[in-house]
Amino acid sequence: MRPFDYQRAERLEHASQLAADADTLPLAGGTNLVDLMKLEVETPQTLVDISRLPLRSIAEEGAGLRIGALVTNTATAADPRVRADYPVLARAILAGASQQLRNRATTGGNLCQRTRCYYFTNIDQPCNKREPGSGCGAIEGIARIHAVLGTSPHCIATYPGDMAVALAALDARVEIARENGSSRSVPVRDFHRLPGDTPERDNVLEPGEIITAVTLPAPVGGTQLYRKVRERSSYAFALCSVAALVALEDNRFTRADLAFGGLAHKPWHDPRIAELLVGSEPSLALFDRAADLLLEGAQGYGENDFKIPLARRTLAAVLCEASGVGA
Amino acid sequence: MPIAINGEDYPLPADPRTSLLDFIRREAGLTGTKKGCDHGQCGACTVLVGGVRINSCLSLAVTNDGEEVTTIEGLGTLAAPAAMQMAFVAQDAFQCGYCTPGQICSATALLEEVAAGWPSDATADLGAAPELTDEEIRERMSGNLCRCGAYANILAAIREVAEEAA
């Protein structure tokens, strides 16, 4: 690990000011950042420890819920309000990592976690995300875990998390403090970016901006599912995952908010899927048409070609479970 | 503020790069906690901080000032072993023993977590208190790898302690 200067932020404004420097990174739970520093993928000159800032509470806000940026993944998944009203969020969090990691991992840090692309985490390999202009080793290399949607000629990495996939299905928002003391709020669906020609930027955070909370809209009830397909049954990243908020009345969908993990550089949400499903009677043929929309323009890179049919089947499996089709 | 390990205070390290794991082993000289992967993947470095289990390899020591850390040495001694330590011996829950301190710290925390009602991926009903089924124990121990493959006996050891407590 490269040497760095360690500073503890006593106030949010202090953290924001320090984080405005391009060579400074905020540290919360550290479960991803410390690892990347060991690998010398991240080499900040200064670490600003924000872990003691008062952003640790889950509070009711309006009809929804506000989850502080430093609330641990464990605390969110165990919260009775989350379990009762937003089970898809609890399910997604519990499907990820191990108990030890969830005990330290935070809401804000989880949103900011970086890809597990093998070329990104190995500094001896080319990677446009880690070192812009150095090339992408994965496009013609080992690409089993890589993206099939929204890729660019510069990067085919995936966003690795589960929690954000559920937050995208829930249409939650990210609350962000800015260096000048003001704040802004961004839908989770717009927080992560596609790689384009700037894959070094995972999300829309600007220098000096720090996530302060995630806000959940009023509960919508219905059936909430998180289906994660992975290489082993626990403690593995998603090859493909689906977060689903589904409701039916008189055998027609009245809600079908879906988001997908493991397929792209961001949690994938396509509003056309809900437009197709809502008002329609559930059937395998309908689910196939939803998958056609999802996978329009999907591109495999050899080793990850399997993700395209896998996403189609996982989507169908979730909608079958939620609607009773094929039961 | 110092870091308390098993009730004894240790001053913070001068180099902020020091992981809590290296701090425990080198500065405190408590070598029960093991370094396996050093990347948060194997669980050999599991310790309790404020009673909560974490991977000590992924935590910078300086971020833990004022915290109370419990390592395997703090759970029990040769003269007075903890119930979980005795159960691991009784159930033959290890071969080489390298992952065992992390397994025992994890297993100890696991019982507290279930008692506190924390759900897991194996919990069928998020609205109910989790039951300590074998499936639950396996899921909750998935952050601790054992290259010798003593999993079946680790499960039996945890079950033994849970049943004694019930």
Side-chain angles (χ1 to χ4, degrees):
Chain A
M1 194 184 296
R2 304 274 185 86
F4 59 88
D5 178 42
Y6 172 81
Q7 299 212 29
R8 179 167 294 166
E10 305 300 338
R11 302 183 338 275
L12 181 60
E13 303 74 39
H14 181 216
S16 246
Q17 285 158 11
L18 290 171
D21 186 307
D23 293 316
T24 298
L25 286 175
L27 173 73
T31 52
N32 187 206
L33 178 53
V34 172
D35 191 28
L36 291 174
M37 288 170 66
K38 289 184 181 190
L39 296 166
E40 298 191 0
V41 171
E42 298 279 17
T43 54
Q45 285 178 8
T46 302
L47 265 194
V48 51
D49 180 358
I50 62 169
S51 65
R52 309 282 173 112
L53 294 178
L55 303 170
R56 278 196 175 267
S57 63
I58 302 179
E60 279 147 48
E61 186 172 88
L65 214 52
R66 182 177 184 279
I67 302 172
L70 293 170
V71 174
T72 63
N73 282 179
T74 292
T76 301
D79 186 273
R81 293 161 293 190
V82 173
R83 288 157 71 175
D85 295 335
Y86 308 96
V88 68
L89 177 57
R91 287 287 177 206
I93 290 172
L94 294 170
S98 66
Q99 186 70 54
Q100 290 98 310
L101 290 167
R102 293 192 298 269
N103 285 348
R104 270 286 162 105
T106 64
T107 312
N110 194 291
L111 284 171
C112 294
Q113 71 171 314
R114 308 211 65 185
T115 186
R116 265 52 175 198
C117 171
Y118 337 106
Y119 297 89
F120 175 72
T121 55
N122 183 341
I123 60 171
D124 296 326
Q125 295 292 331
C127 172
N128 287 321
K129 181 182 282 297
R130 190 186 65 249
E131 198 179 328
S134 65
C136 172
I139 287 176
E140 302 209 339
I142 301 169
R144 181 166 175 79
I145 63 172
H146 290 73
V148 293
L149 293 172
T151 56
S152 86
H154 305 285
C155 180
I156 61 169
T158 49
Y159 171 76
D162 295 294
M163 181 191 79
V165 180
L167 292 175
L170 286 162
D171 201 12
R173 298 182 72 89
V174 186
E175 190 185 280
I176 300 164
R178 315 177 87 166
E179 189 195 352
N180 64 11
S182 66
S183 66
R184 66 177 178 131
S185 158
V186 177
V188 168
R189 293 171 184 175
D190 300 331
F191 178 75
H192 297 95
R193 301 173 67 254
L194 289 180
D197 55 9
T198 52
E200 67 274 19
R201 292 192 62 200
D202 293 350
N203 55 53
V204 301
L205 284 179
E206 300 285 348
E209 290 194 323
I210 290 180
I211 297 172
T212 50
V214 161
T215 54
L216 306 180
V220 295
T223 301
Q224 301 191 15
L225 300 171
Y226 188 73
R227 172 84 62 117
K228 178 173 177 178
V229 182
R230 43 185 164 173
E231 303 275 17
R232 57 185 181 199
S233 62
S234 182
Y235 198 18
F237 289 97
L239 295 169
C240 171
S241 69
V242 181
L245 280 76
V246 174
L248 291 107
E249 269 174 42
D250 301 327
N251 199 36
R252 288 180 186 276
F253 284 106
T254 55
R255 177 179 295 279
D257 296 328
L258 307 182
F260 301 84
L263 301 179
H265 197 259
K266 60 183 290 185
W268 194 262
H269 173 263
D270 186 335
R272 296 177 304 168
I273 294 174
E275 286 164 18
L276 169 73
L277 294 173
V278 169
S280 298
E281 284 187 20
S283 70
L284 290 174
L286 179 70
F287 303 162
D288 223 32
R289 281 165 56 208
D292 288 342
L293 288 176
L294 169 71
L295 297 165
E296 193 182 276
Q299 183 187 348
Y301 292 84
E303 291 204 341
N304 70 347
D305 290 348
F306 73 93
K307 283 192 176 183
I308 297 173
L310 180 65
R312 179 175 294 275
R313 289 198 294 268
T314 312
L315 167 60
V318 167
L319 290 175
C320 282
E321 182 177 346
S323 65
V325 168
Chain B
M1 293 235 285
I3 301 173
I5 305 177
N6 304 331
E8 198 165 322
D9 283 349
Y10 297 88
L12 291 177
D15 190 333
R17 290 178 293 179
T18 311
S19 69
L20 181 60
L21 170 60
D22 286 340
F23 184 76
I24 289 166
R25 291 180 54 86
R26 294 182 194 164
E27 313 279 328
L30 297 165
T31 53
T33 307
K34 295 294 188 278
K35 181 181 287 191
C37 69
D38 210 24
H39 290 285
Q41 297 174 3
C42 76
C45 68
T46 302
V47 299
L48 312 182
V49 177
V52 173
R53 56 172 156 159
I54 68 162
N55 298 112
S56 62
C57 73
L58 291 184
S59 183
L60 297 174
V62 286
T63 65
N64 291 284
D65 72 313
E67 296 282 9
E68 293 189 6
V69 178
T70 305
T71 69
I72 187 71
E73 292 92 341
L75 290 181
T77 61
L78 270 180
M84 191 65 77
Q85 290 171 310
M86 291 202 289
F88 266 62
V89 174
Q91 297 291 341
D92 201 14
F94 51 86
Q95 287 181 41
C96 83
Y98 196 82
C99 72
T100 310
Q103 299 278 2
I104 291 176
C105 283
S106 241
T108 303
L110 178 158
L111 296 180
E112 298 285 332
E113 291 157 5
V114 171
W118 293 5
S120 85
D121 193 45
T123 307
D125 180 1
L126 287 179
E131 291 175 45
L132 201 61
T133 61
D134 288 356
E135 193 191 355
E136 281 277 8
I137 295 174
R138 287 194 189 97
E139 165 60 27
R140 289 167 188 268
M141 290 298 289
S142 72
N144 290 82
L145 306 187
C146 170
R147 295 305 304 270
C148 302
Y151 296 111
N153 294 358
I154 292 170
L155 176 68
I158 297 170
R159 175 147 296 291
E160 179 186 307
V161 176
E163 282 165 6
E164 278 170 11

